[in-house]
Amino acid sequence: MLTSLTDLCFSPIQVTETKSLPKSMNETNHSRVTEFVLLGLSSSRELQPFLFLIFSLFYLAILLGNFLIILTVTSDSRLHNPMYFLLANLSFIDVYVCVASFATPKMIADFLVERKTISFDACLAQIFFVHLFTGSEMVLLVSMAYDRCVAVCKPLHYMMIMSCRVCVVLVLISWSVGFIHTTSQLAFTVNLPFCGPNKVDSFFCDLPLVTKLACTDTDVVSLLIVADSGFLSLSSFLLLVVSYTARSTLTAHITVVTLFFGPCIFIYVWPFSSYSVDKVLAVFYTIFTPILNPVIYTLRNKEVKAAMSKLKSRYLKPGQVSVVVRNALS
């Protein structure tokens, strides 16, 4: 009996070994991507200064051209009509596509740094603003086409149909559609788990590229994104083409519409596009279209040219310029 108790007391205690989870699994369960790395337009260091100069000039042209349109329309009473009211709103959207979305300014700033990063929250903000303004612009372009159709088909009833109230409603509808569109797109992304890859092969947080970095199957999410963006862009484009082709004098407008909608449709609808092609096409609706809109829609218009000449003579008289310069130097 004593022997058995002795054996029991001094027998080796068997310890059950608990296997810990691999370090990588623990990190994956508790880590979250806090920033994304943007690969930019080009990886060539030699091209960076050249691209910085070119896109800085483009950015300056966008701001000056669209701000000039807004100032001209608001300051000249002869341009206070539905067509120019919608054009001024288009210029307002084009300015904010470049400013509020952070896409263009950040792309220009990233040409000067080697490591191009963006925080997770700023990435979501880019997605929100890009889809808000592009969605609003699509609907606003349709409203502008409707305005021209009414002017051509119902000239005697034009001012009655396109009243101030109708114009305000059209603008509010465009912003509402843009907001609904971007919130639905963001809803697909904000709850995705991002715990691994963080390199985005573009110069901004493009939604299809960001969703592919999630640590889960994104086939359904990608399908919903394509359905949402594809339906809005394709339906708006078809409405514009039908309305503009019925008026052969508006071929220049069709060119701008094609440059704006073509890349959007290709990126979000065409299933076989490559990332390198997508980021080049994204330049069209973030850079080139905001530049072309003032040229095509207003600067070729005689009324706008006359209003700009009047604006120039009012604020840029030689005597006034010298006074302003003298006051600035004193």
Side-chain angles (χ1 to χ4, degrees):
M1 182 68 177
L2 182 61
T3 304
S4 62
L5 289 174
T6 305
D7 293 340
L8 180 62
C9 293
F10 292 96
S11 61
I13 300 174
Q14 295 182 355
V15 180
T16 304
E17 181 180 359
T18 58
K19 295 183 179 180
S20 60
L21 291 172
K23 185 178 180 181
S24 60
M25 289 183 64
N26 286 328
E27 291 178 350
T28 301
N29 290 335
H30 297 91
S31 64
R32 180 179 175 88
V33 169
T34 58
E35 66 178 15
F36 293 99
V37 178
L38 303 175
L39 300 184
L41 283 176
S42 174
S43 59
S44 174
R45 292 186 178 181
E46 291 77 12
L47 283 177
Q48 303 300 313
F50 174 74
L51 293 175
F52 172 79
L53 177 62
I54 293 299
F55 284 100
S56 295
L57 294 175
F58 284 159
Y59 183 60
L60 185 62
I62 292 171
L63 296 182
L64 292 179
N66 286 286
F67 273 128
L68 181 59
I69 296 304
I70 295 173
L71 180 62
T72 303
V73 171
T74 54
S75 61
D76 197 317
S77 58
R78 293 175 299 178
L79 301 182
H80 292 176
N81 59 52
M83 181 179 73
Y84 295 112
F85 174 77
L86 296 175
L87 286 173
N89 279 275
L90 179 65
S91 292
F92 178 81
I93 290 178
D94 284 337
V95 167
Y96 275 83
V97 164
C98 293
V99 177
S101 68
F102 313 113
T104 306
K106 176 157 181 58
M107 176 187 68
I108 295 173
D110 282 345
F111 287 134
L112 303 178
V113 297
E114 183 175 354
R115 181 176 171 81
K116 307 170 179 59
T117 60
I118 183 172
S119 67
F120 182 83
D121 293 336
C123 182
L124 293 183
Q126 271 196 353
I127 294 173
F128 177 83
F129 283 114
V130 166
H131 284 271
L132 171 66
F133 292 120
T134 53
S136 299
E137 182 163 349
M138 290 178 185
V139 181
L140 187 60
L141 288 171
V142 175
S143 300
M144 292 168 62
Y146 171 73
D147 169 75
R148 292 298 83 204
C149 287
V150 173
V152 173
C153 301
K154 301 283 186 179
L156 298 179
H157 302 88
Y158 172 68
M159 293 306 299
M160 183 177 65
I161 297 174
M162 295 299 298
S163 63
C164 180
R165 180 181 178 181
V166 170
C167 292
V168 171
V169 169
L170 290 175
V171 172
L172 291 177
I173 289 175
S174 69
W175 283 104
S176 299
V177 172
F179 181 77
I180 294 172
H181 167 66
T182 193
T183 50
S184 63
Q185 296 286 69
L186 203 61
F188 300 146
T189 311
V190 69
N191 291 323
L192 289 176
F194 294 95
C195 52
N198 66 337
K199 292 184 179 180
V200 181
D201 191 9
S202 184
F203 60 91
F204 71 105
C205 285
D206 202 2
L207 183 59
L209 301 182
V210 173
T211 54
K212 290 183 181 298
L213 299 177
C215 304
T216 186
D217 185 12
T218 59
D219 290 342
V220 176
V221 174
S222 299
L223 182 61
L224 293 174
I225 291 173
V226 168
D228 191 337
S229 296
F231 174 77
L232 179 60
S233 57
L234 192 58
S235 59
S236 300
F237 177 71
L238 292 177
L239 287 173
L240 287 168
V241 169
V242 170
S243 63
Y244 281 154
T245 51
R247 308 287 177 263
S248 59
T249 57
L250 299 175
T251 53
H253 295 194
I254 299 177
T255 303
V256 176
V257 167
T258 303
L259 289 175
F260 178 69
F261 283 92
C264 295
I265 294 173
F266 188 86
I267 291 172
Y268 286 97
V269 177
W270 185 249
F272 306 109
S273 58
S274 63
Y275 296 156
S276 59
V277 174
D278 286 353
K279 64 182 178 181
V280 173
L281 290 176
V283 175
F284 280 90
Y285 65 84
T286 56
I287 301 291
F288 292 148
T289 303
I291 292 178
L292 290 176
N293 278 340
V295 176
I296 297 298
Y297 286 103
T298 53
L299 297 182
R300 298 174 72 248
N301 188 295
K302 293 181 179 179
E303 292 181 347
V304 175
K305 287 183 178 180
M308 287 183 175
S309 298
K310 184 179 178 181
L311 192 67
K312 178 182 177 181
S313 63
R314 182 190 305 173
Y315 294 105
L316 297 179
K317 290 180 180 179
Q320 292 181 350
V321 173
S322 62
V323 171
V324 171
V325 173
R326 192 182 306 114
N327 293 335
L329 294 176
S330 61

